[in-house]
């Protein structure tokens, strides 16, 4: 990298990324220009927030990989959004980093993740409230706080929000965010170099708040688990806050030492479920506002929310791709534009795709699993062996389809929407408190999606 300017490095990065695209010039990348390279951060100027969001969504992984290959070092990317020419002269640039780093040298918090921009719904409200309580009173209420759920549902967002809120309220508190893979890699590197472990241990054990993401990656790594066990004990004994995220309940992480598993269960365990359709729509509306759109059309929001049911990152990514295409074509965002933008990544929109998930397909899978008749699910019978599968079927309709509470109630024998709401709340509560019950629901979801060929 010696002697290369930021412009030269960025030109090589673009060439590398575009070669990976089959040699095609990408109009979005070509709008990005190198600004500077300083302190391990390459600053890139983009014309607007939509360009920034699209490049982050589509190319950030490839850019980082190319940078690593070209410079042989870890360089972060910081996007600078060029101000409109009509703005006052004293406003020059607005900087938004995709890897915004806290000014606290002991942390790597992403400052764009806050409680204010976290969209709350029934699927994540309990986890949100728990995270907020921890941020307001570190090590006083839930310690550790363990948040688990699928990919792209907001676990990392809440973790950063906790750290950012704590730092905002007390700048003297030492907050550290780290993935479990980074913890492992740093430990291995320390051992490889033959360096005394004291420095490594002090780094993690001298903090006030330790945030460890994706703790499940410690499974099967005996040395890492041993080291983290003692780190956990040291911090917990000193009444320091620990927050962990995972893709699974501690009981369901294979090759995890029992002593760690039990400690993870000392505090509060919460689960984030895939968002229901109203929350998905709210997320899309909020994201469109952040991207500078006046108002996202309701039919477009419903169209996307109806087709991306289980991953918030994918949900936002679909919106960004659609807005980018509309911007390129200089036309208003519409369902037709969304169809065109997503045709390569949403096979359910192709001619070969048969149908979206329906309430009938859900009732069929649930009735088979519980060995009851579909007509019983729609009946008014309140025996326990019918009430539970009926409630589960209603919950799954709410979670996996675009049906409203009223529509679901009508589909289950003209029941009131409050009945459906009560059923969904009961199942949500059971999922959060009973891992075995959660496993049953997840298995039903898997079967339903396989039956309907939904990703």
């Amino acid at each position: 990298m010696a002697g290369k300017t930021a412009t030269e490095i960025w030109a090589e990065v673009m060439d590398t990324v575009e070669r990976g695209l089959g040699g095609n010039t990408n109009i979005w990348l070509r709008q990005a220009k190198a600004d500077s390279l300083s302190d391990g951060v390459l600053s890139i100027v983009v014309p607007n927030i939509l360009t920034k969001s699209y490049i982050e969504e589509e190319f950030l992984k490839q850019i980082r990989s190319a940078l690593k290959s070209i410079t042989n070092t870890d360089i972060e990317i910081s996007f600078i959004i060029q101000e409109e020419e009509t703005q006052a002269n004293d406003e020059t640039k607005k900087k938004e980093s995709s890897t915004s780093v806290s000014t606290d040298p002991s942390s790597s918090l992403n400052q764009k993740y806050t409680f204010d921009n976290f969209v709350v719904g029934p699927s994540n409200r309990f986890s949100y409230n728990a995270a907020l309580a921890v941020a307001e009173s570190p090590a006083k209420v839930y310690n550790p706080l363990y948040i688990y759920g699928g990919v792209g549902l907001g676990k990392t967002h809440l973790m950063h929000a906790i750290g950012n809120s704590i730092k905002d309220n007390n700048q003297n508190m030492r907050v550290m965010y780290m993935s479990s893979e980074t913890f492992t890699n740093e430990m291995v590197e320390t051992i490889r170099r033959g360096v005394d472990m004291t420095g490594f241990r002090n780094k993690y054990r001298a903090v006030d708040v330790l945030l460890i993401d994706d703790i499940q990656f410690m499974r099967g790594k005996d040395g890492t688990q041993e080291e983290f066990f003692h780190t956990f004990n040291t911090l917990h004994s000193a009444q320091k806050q620990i927050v962990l995220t995972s893709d699974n309940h501690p009981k369901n992480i294979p090759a995890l030492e029992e002593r760690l598993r039990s400690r993870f269960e000392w505090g509060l365990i919460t689960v984030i479920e895939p968002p229901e359709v109203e929350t998905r729509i709210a997320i899309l509306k909020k994201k469109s506002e952040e991207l500078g759109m006046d108002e996202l059309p309701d039919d477009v929001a419903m169209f996307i929310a109806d087709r991306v049911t289980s991953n918030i990152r994918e949900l936002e990514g679909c919106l960004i791709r659609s807005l980018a295409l509309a911007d390129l074509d200089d036309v208003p965002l519409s369902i037709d534009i969304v169809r065109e933008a997503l045709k390569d990544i949403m096979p359910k929109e192709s001619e070969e795709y048969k149908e979206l998930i329906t309430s009938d397909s859900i009732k069929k899978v649930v009735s088979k699993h519980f060995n009851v008749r579909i007509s019983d699910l729609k009946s008014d019978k309140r025996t326990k062996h019918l009430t539970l599968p009926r409630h589960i079927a209603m919950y799954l309709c709410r979670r996996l389809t675009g049906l409203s509470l009223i529509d679901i109630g009508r589909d289950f024998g003209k029941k009131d929407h409050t009945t459906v709401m009560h059923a969904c709340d009961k199942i949500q509560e059971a999922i959060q408190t009973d891992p075995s019950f959660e496993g049953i629901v997840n298995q039903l979801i898997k079967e339903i999606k396989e039956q309907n060929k939904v990703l």
Side-chain angles (χ1 to χ4, degrees), residues 124-303:
N124 59 31
R125 182 172 285 110
F126 186 61
S127 294
Y128 172 86
N129 288 335
L132 195 59
V134 165
E136 292 173 348
S137 302
K140 303 295 184 185
V141 283
Y142 310 123
N143 197 20
L145 174 62
Y146 185 104
I147 305 172
Y148 75 99
V151 175
L153 296 183
K155 303 185 299 296
T156 299
H157 187 141
L158 282 181
M159 180 172 272
H160 282 284
I162 291 171
N164 285 322
S165 179
I166 290 173
K167 289 298 296 180
D168 286 345
N169 293 322
N170 190 338
Q171 286 294 322
N172 294 324
M173 291 198 78
R174 294 159 295 178
V175 179
M176 177 176 288
Y177 166 83
M178 192 73 64
S179 71
S180 67
E181 287 184 298
T182 301
F183 182 92
T184 299
N185 292 339
E186 287 191 2
M187 187 185 109
V188 170
E189 181 62 16
T190 301
I191 295 172
R192 187 191 67 79
R193 288 162 44 211
V195 179
D196 184 78
M197 292 290 288
T198 302
F200 170 82
R201 288 167 180 160
N202 287 343
K203 174 181 177 179
Y204 291 96
R205 300 180 189 183
V207 300
D208 298 300
V209 181
L210 181 61
L211 312 167
I212 298 289
D213 213 354
D214 292 325
I215 199 72
Q216 75 272 7
F217 290 122
M218 287 189 183
R219 61 177 176 255
K221 299 182 176 74
D222 294 341
T224 301
Q225 292 188 43
E226 173 78 18
E227 191 62 40
F228 189 71
F229 172 78
H230 295 295
T231 297
F232 185 103
N233 284 348
T234 298
L235 291 173
H236 198 274
S237 297
Q239 294 187 321
K240 306 301 183 182
Q241 180 67 51
I242 302 166
V243 182
L244 310 169
T245 71
S246 174
D247 65 354
N248 226 322
H249 192 283
K251 290 180 179 178
N252 297 327
I253 299 178
L256 182 68
E257 291 184 8
E258 186 58 37
R259 59 180 180 170
L260 270 182
R261 197 188 315 275
S262 67
R263 278 161 176 75
F264 293 168
E265 296 175 353
W266 278 357
L268 178 67
I269 297 176
T270 73
V271 60
I272 299 182
E273 295 289 341
E276 47 291 304
V277 66
E278 288 86 356
T279 304
R280 299 198 295 272
I281 290 173
I283 290 169
L284 289 168
K285 294 273 190 179
K286 192 170 190 67
K287 187 65 177 179
S288 67
E289 290 176 6
E290 293 174 0
L291 294 172
M293 188 176 185
D294 291 336
E295 185 175 359
L296 181 66
D298 291 339
D299 61 338
V300 171
M302 176 58 79
F303 185 84

Side-chain angles (χ1 to χ4, degrees), residues 36 136 191 321 348:
S36 63
E136 292 173 348
I191 295 172
R321 286 176 67 101
K348 63 183 69 177

Side-chain angles (χ1 to χ4, degrees), residues 355-363 397 400-401 403 448 452:
E355 61 177 356
L356 293 169
I357 293 173
T358 65
S359 62
D360 287 341
S361 63
I362 290 173
K363 282 181 281 194
C397 284
L400 301 177
T401 76
L403 295 174
I448 291 166
N452 290 271

Side-chain angles (χ1 to χ4, degrees), residues 307-360:
R307 284 151 178 79
V308 184
T309 62
S310 60
N311 189 311
I312 294 172
R313 281 192 214 122
E314 290 180 2
L315 190 72
E316 294 180 340
C318 288
L319 175 64
I320 290 169
R321 286 176 67 101
S322 302
L323 285 171
L325 182 60
D327 186 64
L328 277 176
D329 292 348
D330 195 24
V331 296
L333 185 62
S334 65
I335 289 178
D336 287 340
I337 287 290
V338 175
R339 279 200 179 98
E340 177 65 22
L342 307 183
K343 64 181 181 181
D344 295 332
I345 60 172
M346 294 180 68
K348 63 183 69 177
E349 283 305 305
S350 67
E351 292 181 3
E352 290 79 14
Y353 185 74
K354 294 182 179 179
E355 61 177 356
L356 293 169
I357 293 173
T358 65
S359 62
D360 287 341

Side-chain angles (χ1 to χ4, degrees), residues 1-2 4 9 13 37-42 63-77:
M1 188 180 75
K4 290 184 179 179
I9 292 173
V13 167
L37 176 62
S38 177
D39 297 326
V41 178
L42 178 63
I63 290 171
R64 284 174 171 162
S65 176
L67 265 177
K68 177 74 172 179
S69 176
I70 292 165
T71 65
N72 199 30
T73 187
D74 291 320
I75 292 181
E76 297 293 349
I77 292 288

